[in-house]
Amino acid sequence: RLFHRTAKGMLATPIGEIVLARARTILNDLDLLTRDLHASTSGRRGHLHIGAMLSISEMQLAKAIQRTRERQPDMTISIQNGSATALLDLLREHALDLVVARLTDAIDMAGLHHEVLYHQSPRLVASRMTAGQLGRRRLDWGILREMDWVTGPRDTPLRQQINAIFMRSGMAPPEPATECHSPHLIGRIIAANDDAVSILPADVAEDLAPITGMAKI
């Protein structure tokens, strides 16, 4: 028996849950097969479906895609953004071919093969005026803690990295004034608020500084 009939509708049995999980994987495989067949009939070699976190440098990702296209000009590529957890779940379900993400100890990598592509270093960012003021003296994390922090949600690698920096300094992490997933939006919010700060990967901060108007410290 796969389902129980109840007054509120159908509920999967434990065996039904197993079948549903496998069915999702099979359907995703069929979708990928359809994409590959469509690419082949269009004269392409195949299709590559990539999952990418928003906290990955778009410049680095664009260069990697360009190098891939140079080596495989007859391949099509699609990009799906999301959190590391959500993207890795899609990878396990065969909805993605590969994922580019920032890993932490809190992310479950069971059953997945991974390779380190490069290391990201943290960079403090603020509005241009605030960056100029903070850059003229030694950083005081006690003062910084009281500013308006703009961070990723609690379960994101970005937020965990900020928390770790403060804990290593012997302080409780700041409570963010604003939470969002998008580094681009974080940059826009910071550029508009002289009391706001955040920490972004250095390569992402390099990408966003001329676009959003924020500044690196």
Side-chain angles (χ1 to χ4, degrees):
R1 183 182 294 272
L2 301 182
F3 298 95
H4 292 301
R5 294 183 184 275
T6 71
K8 295 182 179 180
M10 304 283 282
L11 292 178
T13 65
I15 292 178
E17 292 287 355
I18 295 173
V19 172
L20 283 174
R22 292 293 185 184
R24 280 191 289 269
T25 301
I26 292 169
L27 289 173
N28 287 330
D29 280 338
L30 286 172
D31 182 59
L32 292 176
L33 174 61
T34 301
R35 289 173 182 264
D36 284 341
L37 292 175
H38 179 72
S40 179
T41 56
S42 301
R44 303 287 185 176
R45 175 170 296 185
H47 182 81
L48 184 63
H49 196 175
I50 302 172
M53 284 186 65
L54 291 169
S55 57
I56 299 297
S57 166
E58 291 183 353
M59 185 70 70
Q60 296 284 0
L61 187 58
K63 289 178 179 178
I65 292 171
Q66 180 59 28
R67 287 196 296 270
T68 301
R69 294 282 293 115
E70 289 171 355
R71 295 171 184 170
Q72 301 285 353
D74 52 356
M75 175 179 288
T76 58
I77 298 173
S78 60
I79 311 293
Q80 180 168 338
N81 295 120
S83 68
T85 302
L87 293 174
L88 291 174
D89 285 344
L90 290 174
L91 183 63
R92 287 189 175 92
E93 294 173 0
H94 298 187
L96 296 172
D97 294 310
L98 63 95
V99 169
V100 184
R102 299 177 69 231
L103 299 182
T104 67
D105 293 337
I107 295 178
D108 179 17
M109 292 297 296
L112 298 177
H113 170 74
H114 73 278
E115 296 180 11
V116 177
L117 301 177
Y118 66 101
H119 294 279
Q120 289 181 312
S121 57
R123 192 71 181 264
L124 186 67
V125 293
S127 70
R128 289 174 178 169
M129 185 183 81
T130 302
Q133 294 172 346
L134 293 174
R136 288 194 290 269
R137 57 180 184 271
R138 184 176 179 180
L139 292 178
D140 185 328
W141 290 98
I143 294 175
L144 286 171
R145 185 180 181 279
E146 302 306 317
M147 298 184 72
D148 292 343
W149 279 83
V150 187
T151 73
R154 191 173 301 276
D155 62 342
T156 58
L158 176 61
R159 176 73 167 275
Q160 292 167 5
Q161 186 174 43
I162 292 172
N163 290 349
I165 290 172
F166 275 92
M167 288 188 287
R168 283 198 297 269
S169 300
M171 286 178 278
E175 285 298 322
T178 308
E179 294 180 347
C180 68
H181 277 286
S182 169
H184 190 280
L185 181 55
I186 289 176
R188 291 289 188 189
I189 293 172
I190 287 173
N193 180 0
D194 291 331
D195 293 323
V197 291
S198 187
I199 290 175
L200 293 173
D203 53 348
V204 175
E206 189 74 28
D207 286 353
L208 294 179
I211 300 172
T212 63
M214 69 175 187
K216 305 166 290 178
I217 302 171

